[in-house]
Amino acid sequence: MGELTDEPDHVGAFAAGAAKFAELDEVVWDPISTATLARTRPMFDELVLDACSGDGASALPAAELVGPGGLVDAVDLTEELVAIARERAGERLPQLRLHVADVTAWEPTGYDLVQCVLGVFFFPDMDAGTRHLIERAKPGGRVGVTVWARGALGSFLEALTASLPGEHDDEHHSPAFEGIDTPGGLARWLTDLGLERVRADEARRHVEVTPELAWTLVEGTGIRTAIAGLDDDEVAAVRERFVARLEASPEARTLDLSTLIAVGYRPR
């Protein structure tokens, strides 16, 4: 979620910030996952692959929707986040299987639905990784991909970048990827990768950000890479400058969490 360094260690960032990541469920991950599932529509008895599943924000409700006759494979590289999902699922969702693994090397196929919420931009090769996901779906199966919309988190990340020590490149102010940051661009990209009948739309969402929520976003997401390597005093100084910038800027205090959600079909 956002990258402010040249080669960010996202797995390490998510591992270190797993508890903070989970604190964002109600405000960030759950609403985005709900909007995604409203479009991917997991159904009774279906076999689902939930890629880059994090702490289960989309995998757990998908497992509830497929019911005891279905199955959800939830795959994520970060063991700490998978552990949180496992604790939340407990014994009530035997149809949910949680895996610590690289989904770009995941071998099982034949899924009725493959979905990936805010994960494709972490793939070393985004095209190849997403194409691999598409190939996990059965012929005629659905594939759903959620990405950040153009401008998402923009002002927020600008305020953080300006609060960091030293000079920084301005090109990482939004986690949205050029070319797939509009509904049309996302649909074309997925069509070029092999899907058909792709439909994409924007789920707009803005929330007022408090200083506490703002710093939880920094500590609990991939944005954490921005403060990696700083000592405690430097991190405290960044936080102080960052909060001051947020309080001085009404635009930065409104957090843009808008996403794009696309669903297409693997050709039969």
Side-chain angles (χ1 to χ4, degrees):
M1 179 178 173
E3 53 178 35
L4 299 179
T5 60
D6 291 335
E7 295 182 356
D9 175 14
H10 290 300
V11 175
F14 284 121
K20 293 293 184 180
F21 182 100
E23 290 180 16
L24 296 168
D25 278 340
E26 183 176 353
V27 175
V28 182
W29 314 130
D30 288 351
I32 292 172
S33 295
T34 297
T36 299
L37 267 62
R39 292 159 173 83
T40 60
R41 298 175 61 195
M43 293 182 281
F44 277 126
D45 301 336
E46 285 195 321
L47 180 61
V48 177
L49 173 61
D50 190 284
C52 307
S53 54
D55 68 350
S58 55
L60 269 70
E64 292 175 345
L65 289 168
V66 302
L71 182 67
V72 175
D73 280 320
V75 182
D76 197 277
L77 272 171
T78 306
E79 184 175 359
E80 291 79 358
L81 292 178
V82 174
I84 293 173
R86 183 172 291 112
E87 181 179 354
R88 288 175 171 171
E91 302 298 324
R92 67 185 178 89
L93 293 172
Q95 65 270 34
L96 175 63
R97 299 191 304 196
L98 294 154
H99 311 268
V100 179
D102 180 359
V103 78
T104 65
W106 188 253
E107 294 185 359
T109 61
Y111 292 96
D112 298 291
L113 167 64
V114 175
Q115 60 184 20
C116 186
V117 181
L118 300 180
V120 297
F121 32 71
F122 295 122
F123 296 160
D125 184 326
M126 195 165 68
D127 285 3
T130 304
R131 189 178 291 111
H132 182 80
L133 291 188
I134 291 171
E135 293 169 352
R136 302 309 98 194
K138 70 179 185 181
R142 309 186 304 286
V143 178
V145 174
T146 300
V147 300
W148 293 111
R150 179 176 296 178
L153 297 171
S155 298
F156 179 89
L157 291 177
E158 287 173 8
L160 177 61
T161 300
S163 303
L164 296 171
E167 296 183 2
H168 298 273
D169 195 331
D170 289 343
E171 69 180 41
H172 296 304
H173 280 173
S174 173
F177 272 65
E178 185 177 355
I180 63 168
D181 56 358
T182 65
L186 178 58
R188 284 190 296 273
W189 178 63
L190 291 173
T191 299
D192 290 343
L193 292 179
L195 290 180
E196 62 183 15
R197 292 182 287 150
V198 181
R199 297 186 64 179
D201 69 326
E202 182 175 0
R204 295 184 181 179
R205 187 160 182 267
H206 295 78
V207 299
E208 291 299 314
V209 62
T210 64
E212 292 76 18
L213 173 59
W215 199 247
T216 301
L217 278 161
V218 173
E219 292 187 310
T221 70
I223 299 172
R224 188 184 184 95
T225 59
I227 57 174
L230 301 182
D231 62 32
D232 291 345
D233 289 341
E234 290 172 322
V235 170
V238 170
R239 180 173 183 173
E240 183 177 353
R241 292 192 294 269
F242 179 45
V243 169
R245 288 182 180 277
L246 291 179
E247 291 178 341
S249 171
E251 183 181 25
R253 288 200 307 271
T254 301
L255 188 63
D256 186 348
L257 295 174
S258 299
T259 56
L260 303 176
I261 307 166
V263 179
Y265 296 81
R266 186 178 181 190
R268 294 186 181 276

